[in-house]
């Protein structure tokens, strides 16, 4: 497919477990973003990658959250010791460069029970 | 200063009417202002965007009006259709990130 792909589309986990969310950006897109969307809220910035480096990770809510990007392509967002307040839709977006518009995936809906 | 304030939270419009959504920002360093449309279960999709050196941009039934001095911008949807029923987000681009408004849920009645 030509779009941003995220997996899994839905994830239910127990409080205290670790989860990994995956993002496959559009081929050739160097910029990659993670956002979090909670019910009734806007999109909350988490982290920005340019290539494999993250010049801005200021939005990560706590040290339980981490993200990496390898080969300038796939990115993984990891949440350790999940809490109920982590329940949200996690969205990934990519763009061909800083000046190009964002293309979003359909997100991963995370539910922590 | 990094916030983008969006209103209204929800909007109901009759088919054929005009839908208007407003956003305001504080940070004058923002350099690009897109609007996104989101349907349930889908990611946001770019609808239309404007740069701060332009006061208006029109694409089909969608128009952005931009007031740099007031630090406000708005989306106008002319001849609103039931298929336009979705959540709309304004955004502003800063350094390394886009700041999004809280969204407006639009319902267009048939």
């Amino acid at each position: 497919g030509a779009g941003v792909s995220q997996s899994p589309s839905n994830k239910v986990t127990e409080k205290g477990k670790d989860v990994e969310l995956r993002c496959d950006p559009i081929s050739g897109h160097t910029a990659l973003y993670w956002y979090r969307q909670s019910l009734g809220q806007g999109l909350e910035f988490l982290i920005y990658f340019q290539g494999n480096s993250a010049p801005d990770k200021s939005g990560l809510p706590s040290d339980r959250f981490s993200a990496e990007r390898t080969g300038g392509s796939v990115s993984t967002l990891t949440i350790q010791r999940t809490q109920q307040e982590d329940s949200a839709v996690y969205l990934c977006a990519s763009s061909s460069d800083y000046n190009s518009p964002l293309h979003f995936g359909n997100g991963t809906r995370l539910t922590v029970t | 200063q990094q916030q983008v304030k969006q209103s209204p939270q929800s909007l109901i419009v009759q088919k054929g009417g005009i839908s208007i959504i407003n956003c305001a920002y504080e940070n004058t360093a923002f350099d690009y202002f897109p609007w996104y449309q989101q349907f349930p279960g889908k990611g946001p999709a770019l609808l239309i965007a404007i740069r701060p050196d332009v006061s208006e941009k029109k694409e089909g039934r969608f128009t952005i009006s931009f007031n740099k001095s007031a630090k406000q911008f708005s989306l106008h949807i002319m001849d609103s259709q039931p298929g336009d029923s979705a959540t709309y987000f304004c955004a502003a681009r800063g350094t390394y990130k886009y700041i999004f408004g809280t969204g407006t849920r639009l319902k267009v009645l048939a």
Side-chain angles (χ1 to χ4, degrees), chain B residues 63-75:
Chain B
T63 299
I64 301 178
S65 296
F66 190 87
N67 186 330
K68 189 174 181 178
S69 61
K71 290 184 280 188
Q72 296 175 347
F73 58 112
S74 60
L75 175 70

Side-chain angles (χ1 to χ4, degrees), chain A residues 28-33 35 45 48-51 55-56 69 94-103, chain B residues 2 27 29-34 36 51 92-99:
Chain A
H29 279 196
T30 58
L32 186 146
Y33 303 76
Y35 281 84
F45 170 80
Y48 161 71
F49 285 95
Q50 180 57 44
D56 191 341
R69 189 179 185 194
S94 70
S95 68
S96 55
D97 56 56
Y98 176 74
N99 288 313
S100 298
L102 301 186
H103 297 264
Chain B
Q2 287 283 13
N27 189 343
F30 290 149
D31 65 356
Y32 181 66
F33 299 86
Y36 285 83
R51 299 189 189 278
R93 185 174 67 189
T95 304
Y96 298 138
K97 69 185 73 160
Y98 287 75
I99 307 299

Side-chain angles (χ1 to χ4, degrees), chain B residues 72-107:
Chain B
Q72 296 175 347
F73 58 112
S74 60
L75 175 70
H76 295 232
I77 306 175
M78 311 300 287
D79 187 26
S80 299
Q81 299 296 312
D84 297 331
S85 296
T87 300
Y88 293 81
F89 293 95
C90 62
R93 185 174 67 189
T95 304
Y96 298 138
K97 69 185 73 160
Y98 287 75
I99 307 299
F100 284 81
T102 51
T104 296
R105 183 171 292 186
L106 171 66
K107 185 174 178 65

